[in-house]
Amino acid sequence: MFVTDRGQHHYKVMPFELRNAGATYQRLVNKLFESLIRWTMEVYVDDMIVKNMLDAEHGQDLRKTLDILRTFDVKLNPKKCVFGV
């Protein structure tokens, strides 16, 4: 976030030259998904994996993940998303 004479502004994309971007991202996803991590989700450096042993429940878990992303206005890059693997 930064403040100008026109008000407060928030980045939608991390700006270049951001220090500790990897650590910042990791803290963000750990906080957003703390209730799902280790149960139905794994978060790695730049990957998020939604997992479930049962196909019937996997859709529900994926929906929870997408709802959290939508709630906090986090965008995914569709070119880097893979579903159904």
Side-chain angles (χ1 to χ4, degrees):
M1 178 182 81
F2 60 96
V3 179
T4 69
D5 58 343
R6 294 183 180 194
Q8 292 182 356
H9 301 275
H10 299 270
Y11 290 110
K12 288 191 175 188
V13 178
M14 286 188 188
F16 290 104
E17 298 182 32
L18 180 66
R19 305 286 186 228
N20 298 320
T24 301
Y25 168 79
Q26 191 69 50
R27 276 194 307 276
L28 170 71
V29 294
N30 285 347
K31 187 68 175 168
L32 292 181
F33 300 110
E34 67 184 336
S35 64
L36 302 178
I37 291 175
R38 286 187 226 102
W39 298 103
T40 62
M41 186 174 192
E42 296 296 334
V43 178
Y44 301 104
V45 175
D46 60 351
D47 291 323
M48 294 183 284
I49 299 171
V50 179
K51 60 183 183 174
N52 199 305
M53 297 292 288
L54 304 172
D55 288 343
E57 294 177 5
H58 184 68
Q60 295 168 356
D61 295 335
L62 188 56
R63 172 60 52 204
K64 288 178 193 174
T65 301
L66 294 174
D67 286 344
I68 290 170
L69 292 170
R70 187 177 296 112
T71 298
F72 292 97
D73 200 29
V74 176
K75 306 287 191 250
L76 298 176
N77 183 346
K79 293 178 183 176
K80 295 183 178 183
C81 295
V82 179
F83 294 93
V85 176

